[in-house]
Amino acid sequence: MRKYTPKDNVQGKSYYTDRFWVAPRVPRTTLEEGSHFAKVVETLGEFSKESYIEVKQLIVHIDVKEVVNVMKLLKESCGYTQCSEQSAVDYLAQDGEFELFYQMLNITEALRVRVVCRIKKGEAVESISELFKSALFAEREVFDMFGIKINNHPFLKRILMPEDWEGHPLLKTYPMIGDEFASWYEVDKIFGKEYRDVIGPENRDQSKIERYDTKRFSRVGYEVPFDADISNGEKEQAIEYSETILVDYTTSSKQLDERR
Amino acid sequence: MAQHQINYASSAGLPIALTSVDKLVNWGRSNSLWPLTYGLACCAIEMMASGASRYDFDRMGTIFRASPRQADVMILAGTLSKKHSEFARRLYDQMTEPKWVISMGSCANTGGMFNTYATVQGVDRIIPVDIYLPGCAPRPETLQYAMMMLQKKIRRESANMNNNTKQNLRLV
């Protein structure tokens, strides 16, 4: 029996990790009474399932069916006239769902709101391109990269990958160097499948550097003879992390206050 | 007093130069290599610098042409994505014979650092390459050197392209 390896996340792991770097966690704060964001959440009313502030931005969790209603309220009642970014995150391995998010900008208040919702695989979301034209391209990208269908989109086709591409590259189940279709794409398209034997498979360099390999890699900083053992009897050690450092992004505010 | 004098003892007594057809044709071909204006990524900036006045490709008879029908050399300068590979091959097919290809930079040679699903891992998978030019990105001098190497290669070749043993990926 072969050892089972999980197939729901086949993305390659980085072979180099800085042992002193710790991913910072962003602190969450609750809404202040009477602030602009409190009014926004009040306007959204029942649509808002959960709301908090991260890095001076309001995050609102909503139901995926209410996307158009929420966007309409944000645009018409709260002054969020720009949808600057829209995309998704693949949490299929973890929760069996995608996270869809919409990044909204209010120009007069210089404030941003992120509208977040969860969508299951195979479900479709309503297009917001009637309200924001910028969503036309963003929704096509979501469809291209994740395979999330968008209802009532006027021109839903792939935007980055070729139209005859198979698979959605930003899924965690999609390997970084591509599947079989991807590796033969240009050969199949230009010469035909029978040319696969003539041209042969791709020769991909994994660009991995073995720390104690003096055969294929020369040492940086000090020279050693070819194929010398430089490990000093040391075995490969797992990387140890320092304690989690919480970085507070909310305390200092620079340019926005000055601009006002 | 006539300063110019014909040496009747050499050149069969006539002011002529003897050569072979191969040499004559290759002299013409190698000294008027017209590359296609075809930049794919950052290597194209170096290619443009080579064409501009500081490095001056024109003095080598290398003049960039904006049409594949008028070009002899295709300089694949940069990362070739899989989506674009079809069009690169089409441009190559549209060039008239004889034609040569320079693969410029790491990305065109091997895919370079783009070990991803969307990048062609070496343009020689779809187009036969004459000169592989290393570097990321190669300096204009390097491109000039590649062009001079290509000239050398052409001068060694037969004028009849069918006699040359160039491996060509043709559509059957």
Side-chain angles (χ1 to χ4, degrees):
Chain A
M1 285 273 285
R2 257 180 295 168
K3 194 186 156 197
Y4 175 75
T5 44
K7 308 282 191 305
D8 49 8
N9 188 350
V10 294
Q11 293 292 310
K13 302 283 184 296
S14 171
Y15 62 88
Y16 173 75
T17 321
D18 190 332
R19 55 192 299 186
F20 299 113
W21 190 81
V22 178
R25 282 191 221 149
V26 182
R28 291 177 182 178
T29 48
T30 46
L31 296 168
E32 277 177 41
E33 286 281 325
S35 65
H36 170 79
F37 283 150
K39 278 178 211 158
V40 170
V41 175
E42 200 179 309
T43 319
L44 294 182
E46 297 223 325
F47 293 136
S48 158
K49 291 198 290 190
E50 192 191 349
S51 58
Y52 47 87
I53 288 172
E54 261 183 19
V55 205
K56 291 187 280 178
Q57 289 185 28
L58 174 66
I59 319 282
V60 187
H61 289 256
I62 59 160
D63 195 274
V64 70
K65 288 169 196 151
E66 310 296 346
V67 164
V68 178
N69 293 333
V70 168
M71 292 296 155
K72 204 170 221 168
L73 273 178
L74 281 175
K75 187 182 180 185
E76 285 161 10
S77 311
C78 308
Y80 287 84
T81 48
Q82 281 188 22
C83 178
S84 52
E85 171 66 17
Q86 171 193 355
S87 192
V89 188
D90 179 356
Y91 285 122
L92 289 175
Q94 202 179 310
D95 311 328
E97 289 174 320
F98 292 105
E99 186 184 286
L100 267 173
F101 64 88
Y102 301 80
Q103 191 78 25
M104 314 294 294
L105 171 63
N106 186 333
I107 299 171
T108 50
E109 298 282 335
L111 288 171
R112 288 171 196 271
V113 168
R114 177 151 73 245
V115 179
V116 176
C117 54
R118 290 277 176 144
I119 184 169
K120 288 212 165 49
K121 197 179 181 181
E123 283 182 357
V125 65
E126 200 67 23
S127 169
I128 58 157
S129 54
E130 286 286 310
L131 296 162
F132 302 100
K133 290 288 173 215
S134 65
L136 285 168
F137 274 15
E139 282 171 347
R140 277 176 65 186
E141 193 182 322
V142 167
F143 167 68
D144 188 1
M145 291 287 128
F146 295 95
I148 299 170
K149 294 255 171 29
I150 316 285
N151 285 338
N152 295 329
H153 190 284
F155 192 58
L156 189 67
K157 68 165 197 171
R158 286 183 184 271
I159 189 167
L160 297 172
M161 302 314 292
E163 276 174 62
D164 53 353
W165 193 262
E166 278 174 22
H168 301 283
L170 276 190
L171 293 176
K172 298 278 186 204
T173 48
Y174 196 89
M176 176 70 176
I177 59 168
D179 50 11
E180 201 208 334
F181 173 84
S183 68
W184 292 108
Y185 176 78
E186 73 273 18
V187 176
D188 287 356
K189 186 145 195 188
I190 296 168
F191 304 109
K193 276 195 175 166
E194 64 275 12
Y195 251 75
R196 285 186 181 193
D197 296 335
V198 179
I199 290 163
E202 284 176 335
N203 183 14
R204 281 180 185 270
D205 171 24
Q206 296 295 324
S207 58
K208 186 181 177 179
I209 296 174
E210 301 278 347
R211 197 172 158 199
Y212 299 126
D213 187 348
T214 50
K215 227 180 202 171
R216 289 172 297 168
F217 307 107
S218 60
R219 308 306 300 170
V220 178
Y222 62 100
E223 302 291 321
V224 289
F226 179 78
D227 201 20
D229 183 24
I230 55 161
S231 62
N232 287 331
E234 195 183 315
K235 283 178 189 168
E236 285 277 351
Q237 287 175 351
I239 297 157
E240 291 171 14
Y241 294 97
S242 57
E243 282 177 25
T244 307
I245 308 155
L246 284 175
V247 183
D248 192 359
Y249 285 103
T250 50
T251 46
S252 64
S253 66
K254 276 183 280 179
Q255 73 269 55
L256 280 190
D257 297 338
E258 281 168 22
R259 206 171 75 189
R260 281 194 200 170
Chain B
M1 282 287 193
Q3 295 295 310
H4 177 69
Q5 209 177 4
I6 294 165
N7 185 0
Y8 293 99
S10 70
S11 308
L14 290 167
I16 53 166
L18 291 177
T19 182
S20 65
V21 176
D22 276 4
K23 277 197 175 160
L24 180 70
V25 169
N26 284 338
W27 169 78
R29 278 179 185 167
S30 64
N31 288 309
S32 63
L33 281 174
W34 288 358
L36 181 62
T37 314
Y38 188 47
L40 293 167
C42 32
C43 279
I45 304 293
E46 302 297 307
M47 191 176 75
M48 286 179 240
S50 315
S53 53
R54 189 181 182 95
Y55 294 95
D56 198 14
F57 247 159
D58 291 9
R59 70 201 154 99
M60 298 162 65
T62 301
I63 297 159
F64 283 98
R65 306 298 300 191
S67 162
R69 304 287 187 201
Q70 299 166 355
D72 312 305
V73 189
M74 188 181 211
I75 303 176
L76 282 149
T79 320
L80 184 64
S81 68
K82 297 214 176 193
K83 190 179 184 179
H84 194 77
S85 59
E86 184 195 354
F87 311 117
R89 177 71 205 198
R90 192 184 298 169
L91 284 169
Y92 175 77
D93 287 339
Q94 283 175 344
M95 281 162 63
T96 48
E97 294 271 2
K99 52 192 171 185
W100 297 274
V101 177
I102 294 177
S103 162
M104 182 182 179
S106 299
C107 294
N109 291 341
T110 65
M113 63 176 183
F114 298 105
N115 188 9
T116 68
Y117 57 89
T119 310
V120 176
Q121 301 294 305
V123 291
D124 51 1
R125 285 176 68 74
I126 56 164
I127 293 170
V129 175
D130 290 286
I131 306 270
Y132 294 91
L133 179 55
C136 181
R139 297 265 313 155
E141 294 94 323
T142 327
L143 183 59
Q144 285 174 345
Y145 183 64
M147 206 53 106
M148 281 150 68
M149 292 297 283
L150 184 61
Q151 286 181 335
K152 266 190 183 172
K153 181 181 176 165
I154 292 166
R155 284 168 195 153
R156 269 210 318 271
E157 280 178 342
S158 166
N160 182 358
M161 291 303 280
N162 293 328
N163 296 343
N164 293 324
T165 52
K166 184 176 168 185
Q167 194 199 355
N168 204 341
L169 301 171
R170 282 172 210 282
L171 294 169
V172 229

